[in-house]
Amino acid sequence: MAIASATKDIAVLEDFKTAQDAIKCDLCPNSVELHCKRCDVRLCGTCVSKHVSKIQNSHEIVSFVSRKSEPSFPVCQFHLNTKCEFHCQTCYIAVCSKCITTGHKFHKIVDLMEIFKSKLDSIQQSSDDLEMVCLPKFQNILSHSELRLTTIATEYQILKSAIKKHGQDMHRIVDVVTKRFEDEAEKMEHESMTELKNHISETRRSIEEMHSLIEENKRLMLSNDVGKALSYDADIERYRKGKQEIRALVPDFKRVSLTTDELCCLFGSLKTPEKEGFIEKNIIKDTGKEILPRVAKEFLLMPSISATIDSGSDHVQRVCCQETDEVWVSGNGSVITRVDMEGNVREILHTSSGYVPHDLDVTEPGELLYCDSTEKTVNVVQNGKQRAFLQYQNWRPMGIAVTVAGEIIVSLYSDLEGCSKVIKYCLGRNEEQGQETLSLERLQPKLRKVIQYDERGENLYRYATFVAENGVNNDICVSDHGTNTVVVVNHEGKFRFVYHNILSQRKYDTFFPCSIVTDSQGHILIADGDNDCIHVIDCNRQFLCYIDNCSFAGVCGIDIDFADKLWIGEVDSGKIKVVEYLQLADE
């Protein structure tokens, strides 16, 4: 903004204000006529002589209308009655012409008007952003939140009615349980409405603050006060970023067909929607489709080995099931081998770089993926041919997992930064790609989520290695060799919990987590390289049991097939043991 234009606009605004409200003299109740530019005092004709006689400084009396014809410079603090028309860039203070020839003789001096113009432009930009961008955004959020407040009570009433009706259908024996769920819904309603009201109050407060800041900026621009303009430092970044709208979703009520004996614990469930900042996501969705229940299984009293396979290698460090009767294995060399249940070698390949593959996994069509941490690539093997599917500059891929939805999760470590992160990729189809296959040959990876920091901005992982997705709740589980723990986050990358040896029964003094897999029941199975056993925990960190009765000769690589059989590669013997540890639950 040019200074002449700014001064003119300010004068017009002041004249308009004068036309609306009579401006008084600073010394008496009379209307203002004159203005002392030196003292910045409004005067009537009668009070001019009084003002001049009382203050023994030089004065510059002008008509009040023309008072804004030129900027009002600050008075030099070192030279009496001298205006500061320059700015010392070395000391970053306003100086007068006398200062330039004395204490600031060899400093970098610029015209104060340039600084003033730049500051006016910054103030104008701040006001424009607040008025044109931030304020409408917050007003829109407030409008939606207020509208939501008028409907949420009705939806909660529908929820409570559904709970009550379901209770009546289950006969009088369920009345007590029904009341318990109604009370829980009432509590959740109160919490949701309280949170929404608090959100509305915060939004209103932010809008009021923005209004106040806009008015303050306008007054500052009208005053043409260089000193105040120089000290202006309003932080409006928090308003520019906006405020996420809270949706305050009502949880779904999941109905379950029950027997009387199961009623108390299986009546249904109310789940609080998961939150992402102020945005709430409803986890339980009604898709309109009948979802087949998972086959309930329980632990065998004693896990047993159903098969022992000779891999043809002296060491087995990685195991990846191809089907229920075949498995990919790798050791401490560049060879990756596919063998069947009888130990017959079906396929042999070498990594393209000649280095040891750090991890293996297989896509649904049967394409092999492996991490080459030395070359910083994730390679895919298709029809016997290899190519780099993912490439990195400063990060080394350590672990890989293919999700139930066909997405790809990769754990990465940076030697330069000394930390790790996990990346989730979705696979984008080319336009000509049909829906009958998920072959990676014609699918391109697209970055979907980077998981690196917790809510406090701290690193989630120190040295992330193996990674797995829990197919039951889509949690992402990672072995961290830097802390000897397993870190679990949800599908959005939000921290859930950490598992380490202290949380188990402390049968073993140490814990070194290696490969991680999950089964159809949502159990998380962790290979413990220190103690040659398997830790089994549930999806909420609760320790369940050890699988340590099968005399494993070195445990590192494990996998689960579709029948929930556990395949364990033995580092020391080069053999693969297939372990059965689950059975169908009794009806």
Side-chain angles (χ1 to χ4, degrees):
M1 177 192 297
I3 188 63
S5 176
T7 304
K8 181 179 178 181
D9 292 343
I10 291 170
V12 170
L13 288 171
E14 288 293 336
D15 291 342
F16 177 78
K17 182 177 179 180
T18 303
Q20 299 297 317
D21 302 301
I23 301 177
K24 306 297 183 181
C25 171
D26 287 337
L27 303 182
C28 74
N30 295 332
S31 298
V32 67
E33 299 176 16
L34 302 171
H35 182 263
C36 179
K37 295 178 64 176
R38 294 285 185 179
C39 305
D40 194 21
V41 174
R42 294 174 293 190
L43 303 167
C44 65
T46 306
C47 294
V48 172
S49 58
K50 185 188 305 183
H51 171 69
V52 172
S53 62
K54 281 188 175 182
I55 304 176
Q56 301 303 319
N57 295 332
S58 59
H59 300 276
E60 188 177 350
I61 307 299
V62 298
S63 66
F64 185 74
V65 176
S66 63
R67 70 195 183 284
K68 295 292 183 179
S69 59
E70 58 184 61
S72 174
F73 291 98
V75 178
C76 180
Q77 56 181 328
F78 303 107
H79 301 93
L80 190 62
N81 300 329
T82 305
K83 291 295 184 72
C84 295
E85 298 182 356
F86 302 95
H87 190 268
C88 178
Q89 295 290 82
T90 305
C91 304
Y92 207 75
I93 59 173
V95 296
C96 68
S97 56
K98 295 179 182 179
C99 293
I100 297 175
T101 59
T102 55
H104 302 267
K105 186 174 183 179
F106 298 105
H107 294 181
K108 184 179 179 180
I109 305 298
V110 298
D111 193 332
L112 189 58
M113 288 299 296
E114 296 181 10
I115 306 295
F116 181 45
K117 293 176 185 178
S118 175
K119 207 65 178 178
L120 282 179
D121 288 342
S122 176
I123 295 172
Q124 182 63 48
Q125 182 63 46
S126 296
S127 293
D128 290 345
D129 287 350
L130 285 170
E131 190 169 6
M132 305 302 294
V133 179
C134 302
L135 187 60
K137 186 184 299 183
F138 275 69
Q139 288 173 332
N140 187 49
I141 292 174
L142 177 61
S143 175
H144 283 89
S145 299
E146 290 176 333
L147 179 62
R148 183 65 180 130
L149 185 61
T150 63
T151 60
I152 190 172
T154 301
E155 294 186 20
Y156 268 104
Q157 187 60 44
I158 295 173
L159 170 67
K160 290 182 287 184
S161 298
I163 295 172
K164 186 173 183 179
K165 184 179 183 302
H166 188 56
Q168 292 172 346
D169 293 341
M170 299 295 292
H171 304 295
R172 288 180 299 176
I173 194 172
V174 303
D175 288 343
V176 174
V177 180
T178 301
K179 184 61 168 61
R180 186 182 305 169
F181 274 75
E182 287 180 341
D183 291 343
E184 184 179 353
E186 191 76 33
K187 179 181 177 181
M188 294 174 68
E189 176 186 10
H190 175 73
E191 292 175 351
S192 296
M193 296 187 70
T194 300
E195 184 178 10
L196 188 57
K197 289 178 181 178
N198 291 338
H199 176 67
I200 291 173
S201 298
E202 292 174 2
T203 305
R204 284 175 173 162
R205 187 162 49 252
S206 296
I207 291 174
E208 291 173 359
E209 291 172 356
M210 284 188 284
H211 276 301
S212 299
L213 191 54
I214 291 171
E215 292 300 319
E216 181 181 348
N217 289 347
K218 289 180 178 179
R219 286 195 298 269
L220 183 56
M221 289 187 292
L222 290 176
S223 70
N224 216 17
D225 188 319
V226 176
K228 290 184 179 180
L230 289 174
S231 63
Y232 177 85
D233 187 24
D235 180 16
I236 65 167
E237 285 302 319
R238 59 195 180 105
Y239 300 117
R240 285 197 179 102
K241 293 178 182 177
K243 190 179 186 67
Q244 290 181 306
E245 180 180 351
I246 184 170
R247 295 172 57 193
L249 299 176
V250 176
D252 291 338
F253 178 65
K254 183 179 179 182
R255 298 167 179 81
V256 180
S257 297
L258 308 170
T259 64
T260 302
D261 294 336
E262 300 170 327
L263 183 61
C264 187
C265 60
L266 298 177
F267 179 79
S269 63
L270 285 170
K271 288 192 176 182
T272 304
E274 183 178 306
K275 300 177 182 179
E276 180 72 24
F278 279 111
I279 300 177
E280 297 187 1
K281 294 187 62 180
N282 205 355
I283 295 178
I284 307 173
K285 297 181 179 179
D286 183 8
T287 61
K289 299 180 181 179
E290 181 179 359
I291 301 176
L292 296 177
R294 292 195 309 273
V295 177
K297 295 182 180 181
E298 60 188 13
F299 289 104
L300 289 170
L301 190 61
M302 188 69 68
S304 61
I305 298 174
S306 61
T308 299
I309 306 169
D310 188 351
S311 69
S313 173
D314 294 335
H315 306 280
V316 176
Q317 295 183 342
R318 305 292 182 267
V319 174
C320 179
C321 294
Q322 175 79 28
E323 296 175 352
T324 56
D325 58 352
E326 290 185 353
V327 63
W328 287 99
V329 298
S330 66
N332 54 6
S334 63
V335 178
I336 306 175
T337 308
R338 180 164 59 93
V339 298
D340 60 18
M341 292 287 291
E342 286 73 36
N344 299 316
V345 176
R346 296 298 184 90
E347 187 174 354
I348 298 176
L349 60 92
H350 294 264
T351 60
S352 58
S353 66
Y355 295 108
V356 178
H358 200 276
D359 200 12
L360 313 172
D361 206 352
V362 175
T363 66
E364 185 178 352
E367 298 158 326
L368 177 67
L369 292 165
Y370 69 86
C371 296
D372 192 326
S373 62
T374 305
E375 291 293 303
K376 301 182 178 65
T377 61
V378 173
N379 295 345
V380 59
V381 181
Q382 299 164 319
N383 301 320
K385 298 181 180 180
Q386 302 183 38
R387 69 179 178 90
F389 184 65
L390 297 168
Q391 294 179 309
Y392 304 94
Q393 293 293 326
N394 300 316
W395 295 84
R396 295 193 287 120
M398 307 301 292
I400 187 167
V402 179
T403 71
V404 292
E407 298 175 328
I408 295 175
I409 303 174
V410 182
S411 62
L412 302 164
Y413 177 76
S414 171
D415 297 297
L416 182 63
E417 299 188 21
C419 64
S420 293
K421 63 182 177 181
V422 173
I423 297 182
K424 180 188 287 189
Y425 297 92
C426 60
L427 300 176
R429 295 179 181 274
N430 295 328
E431 292 183 359
E432 68 275 11
Q433 180 72 10
Q435 299 294 324
E436 71 282 355
T437 179
L438 287 174
S439 172
L440 299 183
E441 185 176 1
R442 300 172 69 186
L443 294 177
Q444 297 300 319
K446 295 182 179 179
L447 181 64
R448 178 175 180 184
K449 193 75 178 176
V450 177
I451 305 168
Q452 186 172 1
Y453 304 107
D454 60 16
E455 293 179 345
R456 297 175 296 178
E458 298 179 357
N459 285 305
L460 283 166
Y461 317 104
R462 186 178 299 173
Y463 198 124
T465 51
F466 301 96
V467 61
E469 183 204 41
N470 194 330
V472 172
N473 59 7
N474 302 120
D475 281 354
I476 298 173
C477 314
V478 176
S479 292
D480 192 335
H481 282 183
T483 57
N484 288 342
T485 61
V486 172
V487 181
V488 178
V489 300
N490 67 9
H491 66 288
E492 290 293 336
K494 194 171 182 179
F495 175 79
R496 286 204 64 218
F497 63 82
V498 171
Y499 172 80
H500 47 85
N501 195 43
I502 297 176
L503 298 173
S504 70
Q505 294 180 348
R506 291 306 303 271
K507 182 176 181 179
Y508 302 102
D509 294 330
T510 61
F511 177 52
F512 186 68
C514 295
S515 290
I516 306 178
V517 293
T518 62
D519 60 23
S520 65
Q521 308 302 299
H523 303 143
I524 303 171
L525 289 80
I526 309 158
D528 185 349
D530 271 358
N531 303 292
D532 295 337
C533 68
I534 308 298
H535 295 236
V536 185
I537 63 175
D538 67 12
C539 60
N540 294 312
R541 192 175 61 172
Q542 180 66 42
F543 176 81
L544 300 177
C545 66
Y546 291 111
I547 300 177
D548 59 354
N549 65 310
C550 300
S551 301
F552 300 126
V555 174
C556 182
I558 62 174
D559 201 5
I560 291 275
D561 63 19
F562 293 113
D564 278 329
K565 293 181 180 180
L566 178 62
W567 296 59
I568 301 176
E570 294 187 333
V571 178
D572 299 334
S573 70
K575 297 184 182 298
I576 304 166
K577 291 182 177 178
V578 182
V579 176
E580 296 188 22
Y581 66 99
L582 292 178
Q583 64 181 357
L584 293 176
D586 295 334
E587 294 294 335

PDB file of all heavy atoms in Angstrom, residues 9-24 42 64 67 215 218-219 222-223:
ATOM      1  N   ASP A   9      -6.847   7.481   2.709  1.00  0.00           N
ATOM      2  CA  ASP A   9      -7.930   6.631   3.218  1.00  0.00           C
ATOM      3  C   ASP A   9      -8.207   6.898   4.685  1.00  0.00           C
ATOM      4  O   ASP A   9      -9.350   6.915   5.131  1.00  0.00           O
ATOM      5  CB  ASP A   9      -7.561   5.153   3.025  1.00  0.00           C
ATOM      6  CG  ASP A   9      -7.532   4.779   1.552  1.00  0.00           C
ATOM      7  OD1 ASP A   9      -8.092   5.541   0.751  1.00  0.00           O
ATOM      8  OD2 ASP A   9      -6.937   3.721   1.224  1.00  0.00           O
ATOM      9  N   ILE A  10      -7.126   7.104   5.432  1.00  0.00           N
ATOM     10  CA  ILE A  10      -7.290   7.370   6.868  1.00  0.00           C
ATOM     11  C   ILE A  10      -8.034   8.679   7.074  1.00  0.00           C
ATOM     12  O   ILE A  10      -8.923   8.792   7.931  1.00  0.00           O
ATOM     13  CB  ILE A  10      -5.909   7.410   7.553  1.00  0.00           C
ATOM     14  CG1 ILE A  10      -5.297   5.989   7.551  1.00  0.00           C
ATOM     15  CG2 ILE A  10      -6.012   7.905   8.977  1.00  0.00           C
ATOM     16  CD1 ILE A  10      -3.859   5.960   7.985  1.00  0.00           C
ATOM     17  N   ALA A  11      -7.703   9.692   6.284  1.00  0.00           N
ATOM     18  CA  ALA A  11      -8.361  10.990   6.417  1.00  0.00           C
ATOM     19  C   ALA A  11      -9.843  10.893   6.100  1.00  0.00           C
ATOM     20  O   ALA A  11     -10.682  11.490   6.767  1.00  0.00           O
ATOM     21  CB  ALA A  11      -7.683  12.015   5.489  1.00  0.00           C
ATOM     22  N   VAL A  12     -10.157  10.101   5.056  1.00  0.00           N
ATOM     23  CA  VAL A  12     -11.576   9.936   4.696  1.00  0.00           C
ATOM     24  C   VAL A  12     -12.334   9.258   5.831  1.00  0.00           C
ATOM     25  O   VAL A  12     -13.444   9.657   6.190  1.00  0.00           O
ATOM     26  CB  VAL A  12     -11.688   9.105   3.392  1.00  0.00           C
ATOM     27  CG1 VAL A  12     -13.134   8.717   3.149  1.00  0.00           C
ATOM     28  CG2 VAL A  12     -11.145   9.888   2.219  1.00  0.00           C
ATOM     29  N   LEU A  13     -11.706   8.219   6.417  1.00  0.00           N
ATOM     30  CA  LEU A  13     -12.352   7.527   7.531  1.00  0.00           C
ATOM     31  C   LEU A  13     -12.558   8.455   8.720  1.00  0.00           C
ATOM     32  O   LEU A  13     -13.597   8.422   9.380  1.00  0.00           O
ATOM     33  CB  LEU A  13     -11.515   6.321   7.946  1.00  0.00           C
ATOM     34  CG  LEU A  13     -11.521   5.131   6.966  1.00  0.00           C
ATOM     35  CD1 LEU A  13     -10.496   4.103   7.395  1.00  0.00           C
ATOM     36  CD2 LEU A  13     -12.900   4.520   6.885  1.00  0.00           C
ATOM     37  N   GLU A  14     -11.566   9.304   8.992  1.00  0.00           N
ATOM     38  CA  GLU A  14     -11.670  10.220  10.114  1.00  0.00           C
ATOM     39  C   GLU A  14     -12.767  11.260   9.867  1.00  0.00           C
ATOM     40  O   GLU A  14     -13.516  11.624  10.764  1.00  0.00           O
ATOM     41  CB  GLU A  14     -10.330  10.923  10.350  1.00  0.00           C
ATOM     42  CG  GLU A  14      -9.271  10.011  10.938  1.00  0.00           C
ATOM     43  CD  GLU A  14      -9.615   9.585  12.352  1.00  0.00           C
ATOM     44  OE1 GLU A  14     -10.376  10.320  13.023  1.00  0.00           O
ATOM     45  OE2 GLU A  14      -9.173   8.523  12.771  1.00  0.00           O
ATOM     46  N   ASP A  15     -12.852  11.753   8.606  1.00  0.00           N
ATOM     47  CA  ASP A  15     -13.894  12.739   8.302  1.00  0.00           C
ATOM     48  C   ASP A  15     -15.275  12.121   8.443  1.00  0.00           C
ATOM     49  O   ASP A  15     -16.217  12.756   8.925  1.00  0.00           O
ATOM     50  CB  ASP A  15     -13.707  13.259   6.868  1.00  0.00           C
ATOM     51  CG  ASP A  15     -12.440  14.119   6.758  1.00  0.00           C
ATOM     52  OD1 ASP A  15     -11.961  14.564   7.816  1.00  0.00           O
ATOM     53  OD2 ASP A  15     -11.953  14.309   5.627  1.00  0.00           O
ATOM     54  N   PHE A  16     -15.373  10.842   8.004  1.00  0.00           N
ATOM     55  CA  PHE A  16     -16.661  10.174   8.144  1.00  0.00           C
ATOM     56  C   PHE A  16     -17.041  10.018   9.612  1.00  0.00           C
ATOM     57  O   PHE A  16     -18.186  10.216  10.018  1.00  0.00           O
ATOM     58  CB  PHE A  16     -16.588   8.791   7.464  1.00  0.00           C
ATOM     59  CG  PHE A  16     -17.838   7.984   7.618  1.00  0.00           C
ATOM     60  CD1 PHE A  16     -18.954   8.242   6.837  1.00  0.00           C
ATOM     61  CD2 PHE A  16     -17.908   6.973   8.570  1.00  0.00           C
ATOM     62  CE1 PHE A  16     -20.099   7.504   6.999  1.00  0.00           C
ATOM     63  CE2 PHE A  16     -19.049   6.240   8.724  1.00  0.00           C
ATOM     64  CZ  PHE A  16     -20.151   6.499   7.939  1.00  0.00           C
ATOM     65  N   LYS A  17     -16.039   9.655  10.420  1.00  0.00           N
ATOM     66  CA  LYS A  17     -16.286   9.514  11.857  1.00  0.00           C
ATOM     67  C   LYS A  17     -16.708  10.851  12.463  1.00  0.00           C
ATOM     68  O   LYS A  17     -17.592  10.926  13.308  1.00  0.00           O
ATOM     69  CB  LYS A  17     -15.014   8.974  12.533  1.00  0.00           C
ATOM     70  CG  LYS A  17     -15.170   8.750  14.021  1.00  0.00           C
ATOM     71  CD  LYS A  17     -13.913   8.160  14.580  1.00  0.00           C
ATOM     72  CE  LYS A  17     -14.057   7.962  16.090  1.00  0.00           C
ATOM     73  NZ  LYS A  17     -12.852   7.397  16.697  1.00  0.00           N
ATOM     74  N   THR A  18     -16.049  11.933  12.004  1.00  0.00           N
ATOM     75  CA  THR A  18     -16.372  13.255  12.535  1.00  0.00           C
ATOM     76  C   THR A  18     -17.808  13.642  12.210  1.00  0.00           C
ATOM     77  O   THR A  18     -18.500  14.285  12.992  1.00  0.00           O
ATOM     78  CB  THR A  18     -15.397  14.297  11.952  1.00  0.00           C
ATOM     79  OG1 THR A  18     -14.070  13.885  12.266  1.00  0.00           O
ATOM     80  CG2 THR A  18     -15.645  15.670  12.530  1.00  0.00           C
ATOM     81  N   ALA A  19     -18.257  13.208  10.990  1.00  0.00           N
ATOM     82  CA  ALA A  19     -19.628  13.549  10.591  1.00  0.00           C
ATOM     83  C   ALA A  19     -20.650  12.812  11.441  1.00  0.00           C
ATOM     84  O   ALA A  19     -21.768  13.273  11.627  1.00  0.00           O
ATOM     85  CB  ALA A  19     -19.834  13.207   9.113  1.00  0.00           C
ATOM     86  N   GLN A  20     -20.286  11.644  11.965  1.00  0.00           N
ATOM     87  CA  GLN A  20     -21.221  10.860  12.755  1.00  0.00           C
ATOM     88  C   GLN A  20     -21.254  11.290  14.222  1.00  0.00           C
ATOM     89  O   GLN A  20     -22.307  11.359  14.831  1.00  0.00           O
ATOM     90  CB  GLN A  20     -20.828   9.373  12.669  1.00  0.00           C
ATOM     91  CG  GLN A  20     -20.859   8.798  11.256  1.00  0.00           C
ATOM     92  CD  GLN A  20     -22.247   8.835  10.678  1.00  0.00           C
ATOM     93  OE1 GLN A  20     -23.212   8.523  11.356  1.00  0.00           O
ATOM     94  NE2 GLN A  20     -22.356   9.241   9.431  1.00  0.00           N
ATOM     95  N   ASP A  21     -20.074  11.530  14.808  1.00  0.00           N
ATOM     96  CA  ASP A  21     -19.973  11.873  16.221  1.00  0.00           C
ATOM     97  C   ASP A  21     -19.114  13.120  16.377  1.00  0.00           C
ATOM     98  O   ASP A  21     -18.023  13.202  15.802  1.00  0.00           O
ATOM     99  CB  ASP A  21     -19.342  10.726  17.012  1.00  0.00           C
ATOM    100  CG  ASP A  21     -20.134   9.437  16.862  1.00  0.00           C
ATOM    101  OD1 ASP A  21     -21.313   9.421  17.217  1.00  0.00           O
ATOM    102  OD2 ASP A  21     -19.545   8.465  16.373  1.00  0.00           O
ATOM    103  N   ALA A  22     -19.585  14.065  17.170  1.00  0.00           N
ATOM    104  CA  ALA A  22     -18.817  15.291  17.416  1.00  0.00           C
ATOM    105  C   ALA A  22     -17.606  14.957  18.255  1.00  0.00           C
ATOM    106  O   ALA A  22     -17.713  14.386  19.330  1.00  0.00           O
ATOM    107  CB  ALA A  22     -19.687  16.319  18.128  1.00  0.00           C
ATOM    108  N   ILE A  23     -16.415  15.299  17.749  1.00  0.00           N
ATOM    109  CA  ILE A  23     -15.161  15.037  18.447  1.00  0.00           C
ATOM    110  C   ILE A  23     -14.860  16.214  19.357  1.00  0.00           C
ATOM    111  O   ILE A  23     -14.910  17.365  18.943  1.00  0.00           O
ATOM    112  CB  ILE A  23     -14.026  14.805  17.448  1.00  0.00           C
ATOM    113  CG1 ILE A  23     -14.371  13.607  16.541  1.00  0.00           C
ATOM    114  CG2 ILE A  23     -12.708  14.555  18.158  1.00  0.00           C
ATOM    115  CD1 ILE A  23     -13.359  13.344  15.469  1.00  0.00           C
ATOM    116  N   LYS A  24     -14.559  15.927  20.604  1.00  0.00           N
ATOM    117  CA  LYS A  24     -14.372  16.952  21.619  1.00  0.00           C
ATOM    118  C   LYS A  24     -12.904  17.359  21.722  1.00  0.00           C
ATOM    119  O   LYS A  24     -11.993  16.610  21.395  1.00  0.00           O
ATOM    120  CB  LYS A  24     -14.856  16.442  22.989  1.00  0.00           C
ATOM    121  CG  LYS A  24     -16.291  15.926  23.002  1.00  0.00           C
ATOM    122  CD  LYS A  24     -17.295  17.016  22.662  1.00  0.00           C
ATOM    123  CE  LYS A  24     -18.725  16.504  22.743  1.00  0.00           C
ATOM    124  NZ  LYS A  24     -19.708  17.543  22.390  1.00  0.00           N
ATOM    125  N   ARG A  42      -5.908  17.425  20.514  1.00  0.00           N
ATOM    126  CA  ARG A  42      -7.032  18.084  19.849  1.00  0.00           C
ATOM    127  C   ARG A  42      -7.427  19.335  20.642  1.00  0.00           C
ATOM    128  O   ARG A  42      -7.535  19.265  21.870  1.00  0.00           O
ATOM    129  CB  ARG A  42      -8.210  17.112  19.746  1.00  0.00           C
ATOM    130  CG  ARG A  42      -7.927  15.924  18.833  1.00  0.00           C
ATOM    131  CD  ARG A  42      -9.033  14.923  18.852  1.00  0.00           C
ATOM    132  NE  ARG A  42      -9.144  14.271  20.174  1.00  0.00           N
ATOM    133  CZ  ARG A  42      -9.908  13.213  20.430  1.00  0.00           C
ATOM    134  NH1 ARG A  42     -10.623  12.685  19.453  1.00  0.00           N
ATOM    135  NH2 ARG A  42      -9.966  12.699  21.632  1.00  0.00           N
ATOM    136  N   PHE A  64      -7.896  20.818  12.354  1.00  0.00           N
ATOM    137  CA  PHE A  64      -8.130  19.411  12.673  1.00  0.00           C
ATOM    138  C   PHE A  64      -8.344  18.562  11.419  1.00  0.00           C
ATOM    139  O   PHE A  64      -7.937  17.406  11.347  1.00  0.00           O
ATOM    140  CB  PHE A  64      -9.346  19.295  13.596  1.00  0.00           C
ATOM    141  CG  PHE A  64      -9.593  17.892  14.075  1.00  0.00           C
ATOM    142  CD1 PHE A  64      -8.774  17.314  15.032  1.00  0.00           C
ATOM    143  CD2 PHE A  64     -10.637  17.139  13.559  1.00  0.00           C
ATOM    144  CE1 PHE A  64      -8.993  16.014  15.468  1.00  0.00           C
ATOM    145  CE2 PHE A  64     -10.856  15.844  13.995  1.00  0.00           C
ATOM    146  CZ  PHE A  64     -10.032  15.292  14.953  1.00  0.00           C
ATOM    147  N   ARG A  67      -4.993  17.517   9.805  1.00  0.00           N
ATOM    148  CA  ARG A  67      -3.988  17.009  10.732  1.00  0.00           C
ATOM    149  C   ARG A  67      -3.290  15.756  10.209  1.00  0.00           C
ATOM    150  O   ARG A  67      -2.182  15.433  10.615  1.00  0.00           O
ATOM    151  CB  ARG A  67      -4.633  16.687  12.074  1.00  0.00           C
ATOM    152  CG  ARG A  67      -5.561  15.466  12.044  1.00  0.00           C
ATOM    153  CD  ARG A  67      -6.447  15.382  13.251  1.00  0.00           C
ATOM    154  NE  ARG A  67      -7.268  14.188  13.247  1.00  0.00           N
ATOM    155  CZ  ARG A  67      -8.334  14.017  12.506  1.00  0.00           C
ATOM    156  NH1 ARG A  67      -8.711  14.987  11.673  1.00  0.00           N
ATOM    157  NH2 ARG A  67      -9.033  12.894  12.550  1.00  0.00           N
ATOM    158  N   GLU A 215     -10.640  -4.408  15.025  1.00  0.00           N
ATOM    159  CA  GLU A 215     -10.890  -3.034  15.458  1.00  0.00           C
ATOM    160  C   GLU A 215      -9.595  -2.362  15.918  1.00  0.00           C
ATOM    161  O   GLU A 215      -9.357  -1.186  15.627  1.00  0.00           O
ATOM    162  CB  GLU A 215     -11.919  -3.023  16.607  1.00  0.00           C
ATOM    163  CG  GLU A 215     -13.332  -3.437  16.180  1.00  0.00           C
ATOM    164  CD  GLU A 215     -13.867  -2.493  15.119  1.00  0.00           C
ATOM    165  OE1 GLU A 215     -13.654  -1.268  15.230  1.00  0.00           O
ATOM    166  OE2 GLU A 215     -14.488  -2.991  14.153  1.00  0.00           O
ATOM    167  N   LYS A 218      -7.656  -1.408  12.922  1.00  0.00           N
ATOM    168  CA  LYS A 218      -8.227  -0.238  12.250  1.00  0.00           C
ATOM    169  C   LYS A 218      -7.867   1.049  12.991  1.00  0.00           C
ATOM    170  O   LYS A 218      -7.525   2.067  12.370  1.00  0.00           O
ATOM    171  CB  LYS A 218      -9.748  -0.394  12.149  1.00  0.00           C
ATOM    172  CG  LYS A 218     -10.179  -1.464  11.142  1.00  0.00           C
ATOM    173  CD  LYS A 218     -11.693  -1.579  11.089  1.00  0.00           C
ATOM    174  CE  LYS A 218     -12.122  -2.615  10.049  1.00  0.00           C
ATOM    175  NZ  LYS A 218     -13.588  -2.747   9.997  1.00  0.00           N
ATOM    176  N   ARG A 219      -7.951   0.972  14.337  1.00  0.00           N
ATOM    177  CA  ARG A 219      -7.589   2.166  15.104  1.00  0.00           C
ATOM    178  C   ARG A 219      -6.121   2.502  14.918  1.00  0.00           C
ATOM    179  O   ARG A 219      -5.742   3.678  14.831  1.00  0.00           O
ATOM    180  CB  ARG A 219      -7.886   1.921  16.593  1.00  0.00           C
ATOM    181  CG  ARG A 219      -9.367   1.957  16.953  1.00  0.00           C
ATOM    182  CD  ARG A 219      -9.560   2.065  18.456  1.00  0.00           C
ATOM    183  NE  ARG A 219      -9.017   0.919  19.144  1.00  0.00           N
ATOM    184  CZ  ARG A 219      -9.710  -0.180  19.421  1.00  0.00           C
ATOM    185  NH1 ARG A 219     -10.982  -0.273  19.047  1.00  0.00           N
ATOM    186  NH2 ARG A 219      -9.141  -1.183  20.060  1.00  0.00           N
ATOM    187  N   LEU A 222      -5.727   4.180  11.633  1.00  0.00           N
ATOM    188  CA  LEU A 222      -6.288   5.531  11.650  1.00  0.00           C
ATOM    189  C   LEU A 222      -5.386   6.503  12.412  1.00  0.00           C
ATOM    190  O   LEU A 222      -5.322   7.688  12.086  1.00  0.00           O
ATOM    191  CB  LEU A 222      -7.679   5.510  12.291  1.00  0.00           C
ATOM    192  CG  LEU A 222      -8.787   4.827  11.467  1.00  0.00           C
ATOM    193  CD1 LEU A 222     -10.074   4.783  12.265  1.00  0.00           C
ATOM    194  CD2 LEU A 222      -9.005   5.568  10.156  1.00  0.00           C
ATOM    195  N   SER A 223      -4.689   6.000  13.418  1.00  0.00           N
ATOM    196  CA  SER A 223      -3.880   6.890  14.244  1.00  0.00           C
ATOM    197  C   SER A 223      -2.632   7.389  13.520  1.00  0.00           C
ATOM    198  O   SER A 223      -2.081   8.432  13.833  1.00  0.00           O
ATOM    199  CB  SER A 223      -3.460   6.154  15.521  1.00  0.00           C
ATOM    200  OG  SER A 223      -2.516   5.148  15.198  1.00  0.00           O
TER     201      SER A 223
END
